[in-house]
Amino acid sequence: AAGVIQSPRHLIKEKRETATLKCYPIPRHDTVYWYQQGPGQDPQFLISFYEKMQSDKGSIPDRFSAQQFSDYHSELNMSSLELGDSALYFCASSAAPLGTQYFGPGTRLLVL
Amino acid sequence: AQKITQTQPGMFVQEKEAVTLDCTYDTSDQSYGLFWYKQPSSGEMIFLIYQGSYDEQNATEGRYSLNFQKARKSANLVISASQLGDSAMYFCAMREGGSNDYKLSFGAGTTVTVRA
């Protein structure tokens, strides 16, 4: 079965640079979620989209923005990167806002 | 306040034995969902099992079962017949019932190590 696709899988950036993470949900899933997992931490919710509209917002820094496109893929844009942004970033998708969330493999971001 | 509490940072279990991972939750919502995810050392987050707050029967998925005790607000995961491949971090998570509340809140996780 098709799973959530995330790209890139690994990313190394310098402080103050920008990064764009991409997420392709499972086909026919209309809801996308972004989570950040720091080293040794549990995942923390950043933001979600349902039918291309922002549906919920968590502890996402103002330096980050995200959107969902007409084909339901989503991008997380991160600017002015800081060392503390180094983490595993997950995208998840569900068939409906209250459906089970299936996670992608994650993008491992390292900020130097 | 912590919404999900997992009190066991780490557990060891012998291959072929069963293991129970504890999870308690805190919510004032009547409608909510409880999930368990497995995270191997490779990092991916794998969905294991789901229990809805209105489900009268405990959820089961293969070797995984969820011991749901609503009055005690607990949702313990039972893994039967442990295998070496079960060694991983296990997260309990909750989605509350608000109409605009889609996020999962996770516990701190429990590391399970299966011994041969």
Side-chain angles (χ1 to χ4, degrees):
Chain A
V4 177
I5 297 171
Q6 289 187 248
S7 67
R9 294 291 307 278
H10 302 272
L11 192 58
I12 300 175
K13 291 286 185 178
E14 299 279 340
K15 280 194 308 183
R16 293 179 288 277
E17 285 190 325
T18 62
T20 297
L21 278 54
K22 296 185 178 183
C23 169
Y24 297 86
I26 293 171
R28 292 180 294 283
H29 280 197
D30 55 15
T31 310
V32 168
Y33 315 78
W34 287 96
Y35 292 85
Q36 177 192 58
Q37 186 180 27
Q41 305 291 317
D42 56 286
Q44 296 294 314
F45 172 74
L46 294 177
I47 196 166
S48 64
F49 294 88
Y50 168 59
E51 284 292 343
K52 292 152 280 185
M53 300 282 287
Q54 181 182 308
S55 52
D56 197 3
K57 193 173 181 181
S59 50
I60 183 169
D62 291 341
R63 300 177 288 107
F64 293 7
S65 65
Q67 57 182 324
Q68 186 180 31
F69 295 86
S70 57
D71 63 351
Y72 294 100
H73 94 273
S74 178
E75 295 184 3
L76 177 66
N77 298 293
M78 311 161 70
S79 63
S80 302
L81 287 168
E82 302 173 357
L83 296 179
D85 295 329
S86 296
L88 184 56
Y89 290 84
F90 285 110
C91 171
S93 74
S94 65
L98 298 182
T100 295
Q101 295 181 26
Y102 294 92
F103 283 69
T107 294
R108 205 171 287 275
L109 172 66
L110 177 62
V111 182
L112 302 176
Chain B
Q2 195 72 13
K3 293 188 177 184
I4 295 287
T5 302
Q6 296 180 252
T7 57
Q8 307 151 310
M11 298 186 69
F12 291 94
V13 59
Q14 207 63 31
E15 198 177 8
K16 301 180 185 177
E17 290 186 349
V19 61
T20 298
L21 308 184
D22 295 340
C23 172
T24 57
Y25 59 92
D26 182 25
T27 182
S28 56
D29 288 348
Q30 295 301 307
S31 175
Y32 51 88
L34 297 158
F35 302 79
W36 278 92
Y37 288 86
K38 171 185 178 182
Q39 187 173 39
S41 57
S42 51
E44 68 265 35
M45 192 74 74
I46 302 165
F47 165 72
L48 295 177
I49 196 166
Y50 164 78
Q51 180 84 42
S53 59
Y54 293 119
D55 294 342
E56 295 187 352
Q57 297 211 354
N58 287 340
T60 60
E61 286 286 350
R63 295 186 299 110
Y64 304 108
S65 60
L66 200 151
N67 184 2
F68 181 46
Q69 298 187 46
K70 196 169 182 177
R72 297 180 60 184
K73 291 190 174 179
S74 75
N76 299 339
L77 177 70
V78 180
I79 306 174
S80 62
S82 295
Q83 303 172 356
L84 296 178
D86 294 334
S87 295
M89 175 74 86
Y90 289 81
F91 288 100
C92 179
M94 176 174 65
R95 184 196 60 230
E96 294 180 276
S99 59
N100 292 320
D101 194 343
Y102 299 98
K103 64 182 177 292
L104 292 176
S105 300
F106 287 83
T110 296
T111 300
V112 172
T113 303
V114 180
R115 290 170 164 161

